[in-house]
Amino acid sequence: MRSTERGALLFKAVIFDFDGTLVDSLCGIALAMNAALRDFGLLEHSVQSYKTRVGEGVRVLAQKAIPATWGGSIEALIGKYREHYRLLMWESIRLYEGISALLEQLQAFEIPMAVLSNKGDEFIQPLSKALLAPWRFVDIRGERAGMPRKPDPSSALDMAQRLHVKPEETVFVGDTAVDMQTAHAAQMKAIGVSWGFGREKKLYEVGASFVLNAPLQLLSLRG
């Protein structure tokens, strides 16, 4: 990319969410949680219904999956979910259409990239190693003990430092309200995507500056 073209972009770095933004992982998440629910004799849910349950980490996922009246151990349910997810996380997982082309372009333009997810880091690392290996990411993080999860801005701000950019020069790209809230808390530009687990209207309502309908639209954002 010519320097004049690169300089016209709205941003100097990108932080991506993972599930629902770069990767369609809904099937594995749903199957694993349903298996955990089944272990406790609880009602299972349709795969598509999990779109409204993901995005805020495994504890919130579990809380949204169980009946309000259930008196069992949420910790035990989460433990079972993790056991099942280790076996099922590869189920139907794929990059969304157009993501490869976007990552190729960003790398060619020398735009530094990172990934920040509320999925457990124990899962993010092998999944990203398999799915994102062709591209350079400065940092890839999931939920880690001792670090607050999104929408707390701490990890996003630390990533901006590692990317050698100011927060306001960074776009945070995600598919849920949590991602938009993270962007605002970190004083980054909030960019939603319509192909993931959120909805375009909702993303604008919670503060998205722009909602992408195709990955390469990110490169049309000009300052």
Side-chain angles (χ1 to χ4, degrees):
M1 188 180 203
R2 295 191 298 272
S3 60
T4 54
E5 293 175 331
R6 186 180 188 277
L9 286 174
L10 182 67
F11 53 90
K12 294 184 179 179
V14 184
I15 300 176
F16 290 103
D17 174 48
F18 189 76
D19 299 294
T21 300
L22 295 175
V23 173
D24 183 356
S25 55
L26 189 65
C27 186
I29 293 170
L31 292 177
M33 184 53 72
N34 277 344
L37 293 171
R38 193 163 57 246
D39 289 340
F40 289 89
L42 297 173
L43 182 68
E44 299 174 41
H45 309 287
S46 71
V47 171
Q48 289 305 307
S49 73
Y50 277 94
K51 284 187 174 183
T52 62
R53 297 183 171 96
V54 297
E56 299 179 72
V58 66
R59 180 171 297 276
V60 176
L61 169 65
Q63 290 169 342
K64 289 182 176 181
I66 60 174
T69 56
W70 189 56
S73 167
I74 194 77
E75 296 297 338
L77 180 65
I78 290 170
K80 282 293 185 181
Y81 167 78
R82 287 182 169 134
E83 288 179 17
H84 290 298
Y85 193 64
R86 287 187 185 96
L87 301 175
L88 295 167
M89 64 182 179
W90 303 103
E91 187 70 31
S92 302
I93 198 167
R94 63 181 180 86
L95 295 178
Y96 284 106
E97 183 177 357
I99 289 297
S100 294
L102 172 61
L103 298 180
E104 289 287 347
Q105 289 293 313
L106 289 171
Q107 184 163 287
F109 301 164
E110 299 182 345
I111 300 292
M113 301 181 289
V115 173
L116 179 59
S117 173
N118 277 343
K119 182 192 288 291
D121 198 61
E122 64 188 296
F123 302 121
I124 277 290
Q125 296 306 325
L127 288 171
S128 61
K129 184 176 181 179
L131 295 166
L132 302 178
W135 305 284
R136 292 189 301 273
F137 284 86
V138 174
D139 198 358
I140 296 176
R141 300 185 197 179
E143 185 176 2
R144 298 174 178 175
M147 287 295 295
R149 65 176 184 269
K150 299 181 294 184
D152 186 284
S154 302
S155 291
L157 290 170
D158 184 58
M159 281 185 167
Q161 289 188 327
R162 296 201 62 197
L163 294 166
H164 302 294
V165 295
K166 299 175 182 177
E168 60 268 25
E169 297 172 328
T170 307
V171 289
F172 197 107
V173 181
D175 66 306
T176 67
V178 169
D179 297 313
M180 303 303 99
Q181 292 160 0
T182 304
H184 284 285
Q187 297 186 324
M188 298 175 179
K189 296 176 180 68
I191 307 298
V193 306
S194 65
W195 56 80
F197 304 151
R199 292 291 179 265
E200 183 174 356
K201 181 180 178 182
K202 178 65 175 178
L203 289 167
Y204 277 120
E205 288 175 352
V206 295
S209 298
F210 190 81
V211 177
L212 308 176
N213 293 309
L216 285 173
Q217 284 184 336
L218 183 64
L219 301 179
S220 69
L221 301 182
R222 301 284 162 164

